[in-house]
């Protein structure tokens, strides 16, 4: 028996849920830059089984898809191994579902799957939604009891680790709990947002901030997810920091850190890390035009963080930003070094850093001048006791 036959025989011995979980885990490892011999062949076989369109993005089977429906707007593809505040990795859904079915609520999960399949066959969407909502409530109660003590939490974490090596999977479980607790508050908040926020000007920021204030008052633990929904509508991801900088007394990093929505700064850094991972994958597959566009976005985000938060390099945000930019610079340097010195590389072009052009430098000076005026006015108001 050759290796291909042995592989096929091994895969068939696994349950369909285990095979789906294996596919998600292999894709997660690949996205994290871990090469595994033979992984491509296994992924091809499993995608042929579970994804008829050959998609590289994990898609849950029907019963779990209905259960996870409230998370859909918050899912991200790929496998970034950082916190990703307000968002959940799609690739963790399969191992979480297997954990629910095998360890958390095995009997109720079997009943749920049968009930969902029966109602899907009967073409009864209202009953499907009702069944899913009831099961979500049961999972919420069990998770609340599980997370009530350190001992049961660690036991649950160890059980989930049997289905994935992702360091953030259990964090995604806790995020799932927060989203399910919020009920329909998040969909209602999302429905009131503009379809696309092209220009996040003062008026838009004030309007969105007012909606966030109201949401935070009623659903404080779900705030990161509301912010993630706002980020989805932004044409330029780094503009999310406006929620923090425009609410601060000045552009000084210490002042921004005490603003009501300072949490958006690490969220923007999370998204910058996403761009780093995407850049690495693009370079691995020689997608240079994609890499060029990603690098332009990255440089713009770096520039904007530095220009809108004075002294960022001296705080924790700045340390993380520098680490990310160093990692990105290493990727670019490694790619450019593959070509002779006399051959120009698209990623080595200075035009990718538009802020280094004359126009960019003039814009920078204009920004700093305006900041000086605003900071001076803020200091004067503070001096005379006016808020």
């Amino acid at each position: 028996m050759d290796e291909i036959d042995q592989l096929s025989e091994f895969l068939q011995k696994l349950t369909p849920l285990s095979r789906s979980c294996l596919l998600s885990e292999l894709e997660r490892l690949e996205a994290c830059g871990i090469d595994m011999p033979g992984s491509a062949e296994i992924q091809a076989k499993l995608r042929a089984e579970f994804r008829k369109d050959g998609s590289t993005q994990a898609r849950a089977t029907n019963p779990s898809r209905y259960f996870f429906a409230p998370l859909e707007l918050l899912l991200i593809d790929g496998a970034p191994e950082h916190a990703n505040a307000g968002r959940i990795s799609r690739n963790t859904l399969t191992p979480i579902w297997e954990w629910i079915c095998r360890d958390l609520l095995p009997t109720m999960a079997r009943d749920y799957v049968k009930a969902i399949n029966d109602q899907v066959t009967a073409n009864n969407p209202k009953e499907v939604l009702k069944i899913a909502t009831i099961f979500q409530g049961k999972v919420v109660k069990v998770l609340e009891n599980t997370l009530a003590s350190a001992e049961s939490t660690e036991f649950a974490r160890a059980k989930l680790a049997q289905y994935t090596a992702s360091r953030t999977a259990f964090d995604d479980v806790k995020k799932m709990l927060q989203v399910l607790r919020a009920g329909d508050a998040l969909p209602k908040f999302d429905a009131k947002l503009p379809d696309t926020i092209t220009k996040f000007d003062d008026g838009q920021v004030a309007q969105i901030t007012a909606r966030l204030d109201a949401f935070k008052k009623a659903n404080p633990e779900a705030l990161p997810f509301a912010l993630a929904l706002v980020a989805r509508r932004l044409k330029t991801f780094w503009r999310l920091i406006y929620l923090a900088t425009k609410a601060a007394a000045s552009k000084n990093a210490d002042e921004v850190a005490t603003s009501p929505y300072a949490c958006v700064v690490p969220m923007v850094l999370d998204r910058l890390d996403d761009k780093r991972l995407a850049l690495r994958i693009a370079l691995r597959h020689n997608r240079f035009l994609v890499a060029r566009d990603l690098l332009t976005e990255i440089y713009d985000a770096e520039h904007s963080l530095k220009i809108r938060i004075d002294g960022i390099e001296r705080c924790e945000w700045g340390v993380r930003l520098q680490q990310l930019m160093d990692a990105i610079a290493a990727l670019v340097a490694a790619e450019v070094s593959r070509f002779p010195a006399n051959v120009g590389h698209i990623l080595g072009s200075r035009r990718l850093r538009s802020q280094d052009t004359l126009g960019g430098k003039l814009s920078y000076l204009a920004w700093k001048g305006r900041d000086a005026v605003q900071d001076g006015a803020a200091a004067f108001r503070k001096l005379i006791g006016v808020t």
Side-chain angles (χ1 to χ4, degrees):
M1 181 181 295
D2 61 25
E3 292 183 357
I4 296 178
D5 291 335
Q6 289 178 335
L7 175 61
S8 298
E9 184 179 339
F10 167 74
L11 293 176
Q12 289 307 311
K13 288 180 180 179
L14 301 176
T15 65
L17 199 56
S18 294
R19 292 197 296 275
S20 179
C21 188
L22 175 61
L23 175 57
S24 293
E25 187 67 3
L26 290 174
E27 289 176 338
R28 185 190 71 81
L29 292 171
E30 183 181 46
C32 291
I34 300 174
D35 294 320
M36 297 183 62
S39 174
E41 291 80 2
I42 297 175
Q43 289 185 50
K45 282 182 173 294
L46 294 175
R47 285 192 188 118
E49 176 182 357
F50 293 107
R51 305 176 199 162
K52 304 304 181 183
D53 61 353
S55 171
T56 59
Q57 299 175 357
R59 291 292 181 266
T61 53
N62 278 341
S64 60
R65 180 164 59 85
Y66 295 118
F67 174 80
F68 288 126
L71 278 59
E72 186 61 38
L73 291 176
L74 304 166
L75 296 178
I76 56 171
D77 295 311
E81 294 295 288
H82 52 68
N84 264 309
R87 299 186 300 168
I88 297 170
S89 174
R90 191 185 297 275
N91 278 348
T92 64
L93 298 189
T94 300
I96 288 173
W97 181 246
E98 186 155 2
W99 171 66
I100 290 172
C101 291
R102 291 191 176 187
D103 298 298
L104 196 68
L105 284 170
T107 301
M108 290 184 180
R110 282 196 298 270
D111 293 342
Y112 164 78
V113 170
K114 183 180 184 306
I116 285 289
N117 287 335
D118 289 344
Q119 295 305 319
V120 169
T121 302
N123 193 26
N124 192 346
K126 289 185 179 179
E127 193 64 24
V128 167
L129 178 60
K130 179 181 176 182
I131 293 169
T133 302
I134 292 173
F135 188 57
Q136 288 161 3
K138 293 176 180 178
V139 171
V140 165
K141 289 180 181 178
V142 173
L143 281 177
E144 287 175 339
N145 291 332
T146 299
L147 300 177
S149 73
E151 183 179 359
S152 59
T153 297
E154 287 309 307
F155 181 78
R157 188 191 299 272
K159 282 290 186 180
L160 179 59
Q162 295 176 4
Y163 306 109
T164 176
S166 171
R167 300 189 305 273
T168 60
F170 198 71
D171 290 333
D172 282 347
V173 169
K174 290 186 283 188
K175 291 178 191 176
M176 177 186 75
L177 174 60
Q178 293 169 341
V179 173
L180 294 180
R181 276 175 174 167
D184 62 356
L186 284 165
K188 287 182 177 179
F189 175 82
D190 185 64
K192 293 178 181 179
L193 293 174
D195 291 338
T196 303
I197 305 176
T198 303
K199 187 178 180 182
F200 208 25
D201 56 20
D202 290 353
Q204 282 274 27
V205 171
Q207 185 181 57
I208 297 297
T209 299
R211 289 177 180 171
L212 285 167
D213 289 343
F215 181 90
K216 181 173 63 171
K217 187 175 181 180
N219 305 276
E221 75 170 8
L223 178 62
F225 307 107
L227 290 168
L229 293 176
V230 173
R232 289 181 72 250
R233 305 303 180 96
L234 292 174
K235 187 174 181 181
T236 309
F237 77 93
W238 50 260
R239 293 184 189 274
L240 190 66
I241 64 171
Y242 289 3
L243 291 170
T245 58
K246 291 187 181 296
S250 74
K251 296 294 181 67
N252 182 274
D254 292 336
E255 297 275 12
V256 175
T258 60
S259 69
Y261 294 103
C263 60
V264 299
V265 179
M267 291 178 76
V268 168
L269 292 171
D270 282 348
R271 283 153 179 75
L272 190 59
D273 203 359
D274 290 345
K275 301 295 181 183
R276 176 188 63 82
L277 289 166
L279 176 64
R280 182 174 64 190
I281 292 171
L283 292 176
R284 178 182 297 175
H285 296 286
N286 296 322
R287 297 170 182 162
F288 299 122
L289 294 180
V290 172
R292 178 199 62 187
D293 293 343
L294 285 167
L295 203 53
T296 300
E297 275 192 282
I298 287 168
Y299 290 151
D300 286 348
E302 176 199 21
H303 178 67
S304 298
L305 283 163
K306 289 181 176 180
I307 197 175
R308 287 168 173 81
I309 304 178
D310 289 341
I312 189 174
E313 66 279 355
R314 297 190 297 274
C315 68
E316 185 178 342
W317 296 335
V319 171
R320 186 179 175 199
L321 175 61
Q322 190 58 54
Q323 289 172 342
L324 287 171
M325 296 311 299
D326 287 346
I328 290 163
L331 285 174
V332 174
E335 172 60 32
V336 173
S337 68
R338 296 196 304 118
F339 292 76
N342 61 336
V343 177
H345 194 292
I346 190 173
L347 300 187
S349 173
R350 294 184 61 182
R351 293 181 180 179
L352 297 182
R353 286 186 178 271
S354 60
Q355 60 273 12
D356 287 343
T357 64
L358 177 60
K361 291 176 180 178
L362 291 174
S363 296
Y364 174 80
L365 293 173
W367 268 102
K368 298 309 290 183
R370 192 178 79 168
D371 289 349
V373 172
Q374 291 178 340
D375 290 351
F380 180 72
R381 288 196 299 269
K382 185 179 292 187
L383 181 66
I384 64 176
V386 178
T387 58

